[in-house]
Amino acid sequence: MTTESTEAATAGREGDIGPVLDVSGLDVRYGRGPRRHRALHGVSLSVAPGETVGVIGETGSGKSTLARAVLGLVPASAGSVLIDGEDVSAYGRRQWRTLRRRGVVQYVFQDPLRSLDPDLTVEDSLTEPLLVQGVTRQEATARARSFLDRVHLSGELFERLPGELSGGQRQRVAVARALVTEPRLVILDEPVSALDSANRVKVLEILKELRATGVALVLISHDLGSVAGTADRIAVLYQGELVEVGASPDVINHPRHAYTRLLVSSAPTLRTGAADRSEREALRALLNA
Ligand SMILES: Nc1ncnc2c1ncn2[C@@H]1O[C@H](COP(=O)(O)OP(=O)(O)OP(=O)(O)O)[C@@H](O)[C@H]1O
Ligand SMILES: [Mg+2]
């Protein structure tokens, strides 16, 4: 176990031994009658406190559906979802609101604009979830500033609206907003795919740094290369079914399912990591120039 994950394991509350997310036999169907479409079938996945799990799959494989079902935004037709040991499968709207307000689980939408209210300044976006929890304005502002710093953004952006930010800045604000309440679990749906490669590397590095706070991350992506260096484990979704779950190096070096093999073979630099690293170094040099 690395120092980082030891810290992560001790950073949480009591009762940490159990998974922070435990999805079991999840089925989700969309539509009715002949147009009924099974988007997820028998998906089981658990995430330990402080762990980062990458969920990989091609477009339409059910990644966003999994995120939405975990957060109670689409109903499941079978299976269960436990968040921090609490069975949320049968939760109504009020119970979900309470859970969200407690800030146990947060969601960063696939579209960064959806994660942020266009009429709220960066400051208001970051302080609002804290004020809802009863944190004083002074404390909320201080925490918001420190999180802006953690995502490597300047305090000068505090007064800006989302429309006045670049895509990369907006995504970092969305990440900061999701983390500001210090949740146990954050689900990020394609957090880097809308970004150029320099910003992609930056945001992934920020996510890696944020793991030290003890938060568990579910990192959804269609791109294995994007999450391979960040996730402890990788789960591969294919046509609504989870076809492979394992430690990142195992999945990359010994992919078992044909679809995973295809993913790995289409990203040849993954095997050694050498080209990947030199590319990152080149980008970092470019950024620091
Ligand atoms: N609201 C909906 N009504 C009907 N079908 C839907 C709905 N949302 C998603 N689907 C279908 O469910 C399947 C899974 O969609 P989902 O959005 O989960 O895929 P995804 O893996 O996130 O894809 P992408 O990488 O493009 O974001 C797709 O076939 C999609 O067309
Ligand atoms: Mg999606």
Side-chain angles (χ1 to χ4, degrees):
M1 205 186 225
T2 63
T3 328
E4 221 176 67
S5 53
T6 313
E7 269 172 28
T10 50
R13 299 188 313 244
E14 268 177 62
D16 258 358
I17 312 106
V20 65
L21 175 66
D22 196 7
V23 174
S24 178
L26 199 67
D27 267 33
V28 174
R29 288 149 202 250
Y30 289 116
R32 288 168 185 277
R35 292 188 56 210
R36 203 167 164 81
H37 168 73
R38 193 156 73 175
L40 287 182
H41 178 52
V43 170
S44 298
L45 179 69
S46 74
V47 180
E51 189 185 28
T52 297
V53 175
V55 175
I56 305 295
E58 62 191 348
T59 182
S61 57
K63 305 180 298 295
S64 296
T65 300
L66 176 59
R68 283 187 224 122
V70 164
L71 290 145
L73 302 173
V74 293
S77 53
S80 65
V81 176
L82 270 67
I83 293 178
D84 222 6
E86 213 169 302
D87 190 344
V88 299
S89 316
Y91 266 21
R93 199 177 287 179
R94 272 232 316 267
Q95 286 165 301
W96 268 111
R97 208 171 55 209
T98 311
L99 188 71
R100 289 204 194 96
R101 201 170 271 191
R102 275 172 44 212
V104 175
V105 55
Q106 297 288 347
Y107 184 25
V108 177
F109 284 89
Q110 184 158 2
D111 173 2
L113 276 178
R114 276 191 69 195
S115 294
L116 298 172
D117 184 329
D119 299 324
L120 291 188
T121 61
V122 169
E123 174 173 10
D124 290 340
S125 267
L126 296 186
T127 53
E128 188 216 54
L130 294 166
L131 296 173
V132 163
Q133 289 188 343
V135 172
T136 65
R137 180 162 291 276
Q138 196 183 9
E139 164 80 30
T141 306
R143 262 208 250 171
R145 283 201 178 267
S146 99
F147 268 86
L148 210 57
D149 196 46
R150 281 200 190 171
V151 297
H152 304 216
L153 287 178
S154 145
E156 286 166 30
L157 302 182
F158 231 40
E159 301 304 321
R160 299 253 191 107
L161 291 169
E164 300 164 345
L165 300 171
S166 75
Q169 291 170 334
R170 209 179 282 145
Q171 190 61 301
R172 284 188 231 176
V173 172
V175 168
R177 179 184 153 85
L179 282 141
V180 77
T181 53
E182 296 179 1
R184 305 261 297 145
L185 172 69
V186 180
I187 299 177
L188 301 109
D189 196 351
E190 302 274 9
V192 297
S193 49
L195 306 178
D196 60 52
S197 54
N199 262 308
R200 194 172 297 171
V201 172
K202 270 247 163 190
V203 169
L204 287 169
E205 287 192 346
I206 287 164
L207 290 175
K208 256 188 186 171
E209 288 167 18
L210 288 168
R211 299 194 313 178
T213 63
V215 67
L217 303 176
V218 173
L219 212 52
I220 292 174
S221 179
H222 64 277
D223 176 27
L224 180 61
S226 283
V227 305
T230 313
D232 301 307
R233 282 191 301 141
I234 290 176
V236 182
L237 256 185
Y238 185 64
Q239 297 183 350
E241 294 189 39
L242 215 53
V243 294
E244 185 155 355
V245 186
S248 299
D250 291 345
V251 171
I252 288 156
N253 295 314
H254 312 286
R256 286 188 315 233
H257 191 271
Y259 176 66
T260 320
R261 284 205 291 274
L262 184 73
L263 280 178
V264 173
S265 67
S266 52
T269 55
L270 278 177
R271 277 183 184 276
T272 61
D276 198 38
R277 209 174 303 134
S278 68
E279 188 193 20
R280 277 177 197 210
E281 269 159 16
L283 284 165
R284 211 172 290 135
L286 198 70
L287 287 168
N288 294 334

